[in-house]
Amino acid sequence: MIAVVIGGGTMGAGVAHLLLAGGHDVVLVEAGADRAAAARRAVEASLAKAADRGKLAVPPAELLTRLTVAERLDTGVGRGAALVVEAVPEDLGLKRQVLGDAARACPDAVLASNTSSLSISALAEGLPGERVLGMHFFNPVPVQQLVELVHHPGVAADVVARVRGWAEELGKTVIEVRDAPGFATSRLGVAVGMEAIRMLEEGVASAEDVDTGMRLGYGWPMGPLRLTDLVGLDVRLAIAEHLAAELGPRFEPPSLLREKVAAGQLGRKTGQGFFTW
């Protein structure tokens, strides 16, 4: 299969790694020469790390022969693609533009959005909606087992079945969710994360103790505050604001989260969030 991944950040590079390791040819699209080069380096580093852990069946150099990095998506780049995964920032207008370009450049491809909270129905407006769905991966993509498939009323059943099959062939466990604000995972994860931030804000417990309580008391592999640092405080804030607008004040972001984002303390990617990295 030829797959196109649009967006070469953390998630896009991870999806590209996963598809390459699964035996597929991948076109990774990232605008601008510098950003495209950085996207390639991110995939190379991810594959090298997996190889060091003994998680690859073939050497990274062999996998990289099937990776093409492009600065723009057009009919030449997208020719023959069966799957497009967009992994650009959580902006409805940007994602709709990217998916529209993909629909024209890859006329036979399934169009999958890696959004963690935006409406798939809204993303599919004006597009061939029968081949649009949500394909929500989790960070780090090569390691995390779950893929959340999100379907809207207009998607074709065979498209959902096809994407489910691809995900399972890549070693993922799939859950299916109807299009609703926050889907299943983001809605629950953000609810716990916002309450953990409120507890920290109110002085109920330290960040370390809140997280330790959830790890040892409830079996979470990672506490909600460290997870927020990993996802990015800015990303969590945007999702919480979206859910608050859609579902009401129970998802209203705490002041502490807004203050940290305003101060540039975005978590692991900046070196400081609720923890120091």
Side-chain angles (χ1 to χ4, degrees):
M1 176 176 72
I2 299 173
V4 173
V5 179
I6 306 175
T10 299
M11 295 302 294
V15 173
H17 167 155
L18 178 70
L19 289 162
L20 288 168
H24 303 292
D25 294 332
V26 176
V27 178
L28 179 59
V29 181
E30 181 60 82
D34 290 344
R35 291 173 63 179
R40 177 180 286 277
R41 289 194 298 271
V43 177
E44 291 172 347
S46 183
L47 290 171
K49 185 176 180 180
D52 289 343
R53 299 198 314 270
K55 299 297 184 181
L56 292 182
V58 297
E62 184 176 330
L63 296 179
L64 288 167
T65 62
R66 291 189 277 101
L67 174 66
T68 300
V69 178
E71 294 180 40
R72 62 188 298 270
L73 178 63
D74 56 30
T75 53
V77 170
R79 185 179 295 115
L83 172 67
V84 174
V85 179
E86 71 78 10
V88 301
E90 290 285 282
D91 178 276
L92 180 63
L94 174 61
K95 286 183 179 290
R96 288 189 65 182
Q97 177 185 334
V98 164
L99 288 170
D101 292 342
R104 290 184 289 274
C106 309
D108 300 317
V110 173
L111 307 174
S113 173
N114 185 53
T115 181
S116 56
S117 64
L118 297 176
S119 168
I120 303 301
S121 296
L123 289 174
E125 287 180 11
L127 298 176
E130 70 280 358
R131 54 189 177 107
V132 177
L133 81 171
M135 194 177 190
H136 181 200
F137 292 93
F138 293 77
N139 186 33
V141 177
V143 176
Q144 293 279 26
Q145 187 177 1
L146 185 66
V147 170
E148 185 177 36
L149 290 188
V150 186
H151 43 81
H152 65 102
V155 68
D158 69 300
V159 167
V160 177
R162 201 182 322 157
V163 175
R164 183 185 188 102
W166 288 332
E168 290 175 344
E169 287 173 2
L170 292 168
K172 301 302 184 184
T173 297
V174 176
I175 63 172
E176 291 190 26
V177 183
R178 73 172 179 84
D179 188 21
F183 316 139
T185 55
S186 292
R187 185 165 169 175
L188 287 170
V190 169
V192 174
M194 294 304 106
E195 192 59 31
I197 297 168
R198 290 188 192 96
M199 291 170 63
L200 183 62
E201 190 175 58
E202 294 166 7
V204 173
S206 68
E208 189 63 54
D209 285 351
V210 168
D211 276 13
T212 299
M214 293 305 292
R215 286 192 300 105
L216 301 185
Y218 286 86
W220 283 39
M222 181 185 299
L225 295 172
R226 192 169 293 275
L227 178 60
T228 298
D229 271 10
L230 181 64
V231 171
L233 275 68
D234 53 337
V235 175
R236 273 289 170 95
L237 175 59
I239 296 171
E241 288 176 332
H242 173 70
L243 292 177
E246 294 289 332
L247 298 173
R250 67 187 185 276
F251 287 99
E252 182 63 30
S255 297
L256 178 59
L257 178 59
R258 295 188 183 279
E259 290 165 5
K260 283 188 168 290
V261 171
Q265 297 179 13
L266 308 182
R268 187 176 70 169
K269 60 189 171 185
T270 62
Q272 184 65 49
F274 295 108
F275 297 90
T276 300
W277 295 80

